[in-house]
Amino acid sequence: MSDAAIDLDDVQGTILRGYRVNLARHFVLTITDAAATGKLIAALVRGDHGLPTITTARRIVPKPAIFVNLCFSASGLAALGVSPEQLASFDAAFQRGATDPASAATVGDVGASAPQHWIGGLDNGAQVHILLSVWATDSCAALESVSARLRAAFVGSVAELYTQDGAQFPDRTVHFGYRHGIAQPTIIGAPPRKRHAPDAQAPVPAGEFLLGHPNAAGGTYRVLPAELSTNSSYAVFRILEQDVAGFEAMLARHAAETGIDTELLAAKILGRWRNGNPLTLAPAMQGTRLPDPELNNFEFVSADPATDDTLGLKCPIGAHIRRNNPRDAAVIGTDSTHHRILRRSMPYGPQYDQTRPDQHARGLIGYFINASIRNQFEFLSSEWNRASDFVKSATGPEGPAAGNAVYNISGEDVLVGVNDPARSSFTVAGKGPKGSANRTLHGFSRLVTTRGGVYCFFPSIKGLLFLAALPAAGAERPLAQSST
C-alpha cells in the first residue's frame, strides 16, 4: 500500500488530526455484556439512536461541536471475542498492558507512579476494556448533552469505571506554564493541518502511526485478524499529575544557586521558552512569540558555527524536547524518525495560582499515538527520557576543543524522569573540551506522577464494525475467560 493511499473515512480522526478543541471527557469502561457492547459499537459508528458518530479523519466543514473516538485494551478485544492466537499477533507491549510489571518498569511507573496506586479502577488492567473519548469545541452544554445520551446507551452493555475531564487553558499552555502541542510530526499522505508548525525534519511515513502502511524501517505493522490490520493504530492513554508548586520551587532554588535567570532555566529544561520559542532559534531571550510556521523549523546540527547546536550550548542535549526528538543529532540506534509519536493531550484540574496555593490534583491527560508502543512510546520513555548514554560522540564545526556531545548530558529528563534528589542531575553545557566548562545541577525531585494508564488499540472504522459483529458471530464465552 502506498503512503499516499490513506482512506481518511476509515481512520479514526484523533490519529491524524488535532481537533483544536477546548474540552474533553474520557470514559473508562468495562464490558458487562459482549453482544450488547457490539450493538453499542455499531450504533456509535453509524450514529444510530441519537448517539454521536465516531469521528473519522475526514475534515468536517463547518467544524462540529463534538468529536468522538473509541479504543480498546487487549482485555477489551478478548472480551469481544478476539482469540488468544489473534491477540498474539499484536504489539508485544500492547499485549502486556500498562499495568504489567514489565511495562511499568520500562516507562518508569514505579514508586508513587506504580499501577497499584492508580485511580479510577485503572490499577486493575483486566477490567479496563474500552476508552471512549469525547472532545467538545467550546460548549460545556454540548459535552453534557452527549454524555447523558452515552450514559443512557451504556446501560446493559458496559459499566463506567471512571471519567476524567480535561480543559484547555486560554493560552494553550500546560500547568508548568509552557505552550504545548507544537512539535507534531508531518505524516506522508495525511491531510494538512491548520495552524500546524512545519517540521524541518523529513515527513514521517504513515506506517509509523497506521497499521497496514509502510513504516520508516520499510516494513509494515500488521495484526490478525485481517479486518483489524489496516488503518488502525495503538495509543498509550496517560493521566499525569504535575507538581506545579514543586516545579516553581525547583526553578527558584536552582536560579538562586547558579545565578541563571529563572525563565532561562525553565527554557533550558524544556528546550523552549514558555511562549514556545525554541532555544535553538532564540537562545538569549524569549522575545515575542515566533509565528507558527517558524516554531518548529530548526535542526540541531549545522556546518555553520552561528546556527550549529551539536553541543547543546543553546538547547541542552538533556532538554525535554531534545530527548524526545533529537532531530538530526547523532544518537545510538536508529534516528528519531523511527520513534516519533503523536500527542493528543490537554490539562486537567484548575490552573495553579502561586499567590493562593492549593492541593487540587492537576496535570495532563490524553493519548500518545503510534504504530508500535514498544518501538515508539516505550522506547522514548526508557531509552531517551531515562538514560543519558544514547548520545553519540559528536563535535561541532569548531572541533574537539569546543567540546563533545557525549559529555554534555546527564541524568534523566527533569520533567518526566524518575528523579531522586540524591542522584538526579541536569547538565548546562559550556564551551570546552570534555565537558570542562559544563555546569551540572543536582537535587531534582520527581515532578510528574502517573495516576493512570491504558495501552490502547484504535481500530479503523471497518475494524470497529468487525468488532461490533464479532460477539454475534459465535464468539460468546464467559467474560472471566476473556481477560488477559
Side-chain angles (χ1 to χ4, degrees):
M1 178 177 286
S2 166
D3 275 322
I6 300 176
D7 182 355
L8 300 181
D9 295 313
D10 193 40
V11 178
Q12 291 206 54
T14 194
I15 300 169
L16 296 182
R17 294 177 51 194
Y19 292 139
R20 301 287 296 188
V21 294
N22 292 321
L23 301 168
R25 177 164 292 164
H26 303 282
F27 294 93
V28 181
L29 308 171
T30 189
I31 295 172
T32 56
D33 185 297
T37 300
K39 294 177 182 178
L40 173 63
I41 295 168
L44 286 166
V45 172
R46 298 175 177 130
D48 294 339
H49 312 306
L51 292 176
T53 305
I54 298 293
T55 307
T56 73
R58 181 76 62 186
R59 187 171 299 280
I60 304 170
V61 179
K63 185 175 182 177
I66 292 291
F67 301 83
V68 179
N69 290 116
L70 189 65
C71 59
F72 304 83
S73 68
S75 297
L77 293 180
L80 286 170
V82 176
S83 72
E85 295 76 19
Q86 291 168 331
L87 281 171
S89 70
F90 282 66
D91 180 90
F94 172 74
Q95 293 179 57
R96 292 196 312 266
T99 58
D100 184 88
S103 301
T106 297
V107 303
D109 285 340
V110 297
S113 288
Q116 61 262 34
H117 303 304
W118 289 357
I119 60 178
L122 290 164
D123 60 310
N124 181 0
Q127 72 173 351
V128 176
H129 293 155
I130 298 175
L131 267 72
L132 192 158
S133 294
V134 181
W135 292 271
T137 302
D138 55 17
S139 171
C140 289
L143 181 59
E144 294 301 335
S145 175
V146 166
S147 297
R149 280 180 275 152
L150 287 169
R151 284 178 167 135
F154 293 164
V155 176
S157 58
V158 296
E160 187 176 334
L161 296 175
Y162 184 66
T163 303
Q164 177 68 60
D165 287 359
Q168 291 283 15
F169 298 154
D171 51 1
R172 294 202 171 267
T173 59
V174 296
H175 287 287
F176 289 153
Y178 300 108
R179 188 165 178 255
H180 78 130
I182 296 173
Q184 302 277 21
T186 299
I187 303 171
I188 297 172
R193 302 193 306 274
K194 290 183 178 180
R195 302 185 184 90
H196 172 54
D199 200 322
Q201 297 173 262
V204 180
E208 292 296 305
F209 308 101
L210 290 173
L211 277 62
H213 294 258
N215 57 37
T220 304
Y221 295 115
R222 297 187 185 279
V223 300
L224 296 174
E227 290 86 348
L228 299 177
S229 202
T230 300
N231 294 328
S232 300
S233 189
Y234 296 100
V236 176
F237 177 77
R238 304 279 275 175
I239 303 175
L240 302 173
E241 187 172 303
Q242 297 174 322
D243 180 5
V244 185
F247 176 68
E248 296 296 341
M250 175 273 293
L251 290 177
R253 182 176 69 255
H254 283 293
E257 292 172 355
T258 63
I260 300 175
D261 176 76
T262 301
E263 287 305 306
L264 177 58
L265 180 59
K268 291 286 187 183
I269 287 171
L270 182 74
R272 294 180 184 271
W273 297 89
R274 295 209 225 203
N275 70 353
N277 288 348
L279 281 170
T280 304
L281 300 180
M285 61 180 64
Q286 176 171 264
T288 303
R289 184 170 67 84
L290 295 171
D292 284 351
E294 297 179 29
L295 286 174
N296 214 26
N297 193 23
F298 65 92
E299 296 279 20
F300 294 120
V301 178
S302 171
D304 181 357
T307 56
D308 177 70
D309 198 25
T310 298
L311 303 178
L313 302 177
K314 300 173 185 175
C315 176
I317 297 174
H320 179 72
I321 69 163
R322 195 157 178 169
R323 283 180 177 269
N324 284 273
N325 183 11
R327 296 176 181 254
D328 59 342
V331 294
I332 293 171
T334 53
D335 60 31
S336 59
T337 302
H338 294 74
H339 306 290
R340 299 296 298 274
I341 56 175
L342 292 161
R343 291 161 291 123
R344 307 291 186 228
S345 62
M346 66 173 60
Y348 71 88
Q351 283 186 287
Y352 186 73
D353 183 350
Q354 294 189 61
T355 66
R356 303 177 65 182
D358 63 66
Q359 300 299 315
H360 286 296
R362 50 175 56 85
L364 268 182
I365 185 169
Y367 296 96
F368 298 87
I369 298 172
N370 42 216
S372 170
I373 294 175
R374 179 67 195 98
N375 190 53
Q376 290 165 273
F377 176 79
E378 286 195 344
F379 180 92
L380 289 179
S381 299
S382 60
E383 302 296 328
W384 291 354
N385 281 323
R386 299 196 58 201
S388 59
D389 59 358
F390 67 90
V391 176
K392 284 185 178 179
S393 176
T395 57
E398 298 178 73
N404 190 305
V406 295
Y407 298 104
N408 293 358
I409 178 175
S410 65
E412 302 190 21
D413 190 313
V414 171
L415 294 177
V416 299
V418 184
N419 287 303
D420 179 347
R423 56 183 177 81
S424 57
S425 65
F426 178 76
T427 296
V428 179
K431 187 181 293 187
K434 296 184 177 181
S436 57
N438 290 351
R439 176 179 290 177
T440 301
L441 314 182
H442 299 275
F444 297 94
S445 299
R446 187 160 193 174
L447 296 170
V448 174
T449 302
T450 306
R451 295 303 185 198
V454 185
Y455 284 1
C456 310
F457 181 74
F458 274 100
S460 65
I461 301 302
K462 292 174 184 173
L464 285 171
L465 290 173
F466 169 80
L467 290 174
L470 196 57
E476 297 94 344
R477 60 180 180 267
L479 290 181
Q481 297 178 16
S482 65
S483 297
T484 58

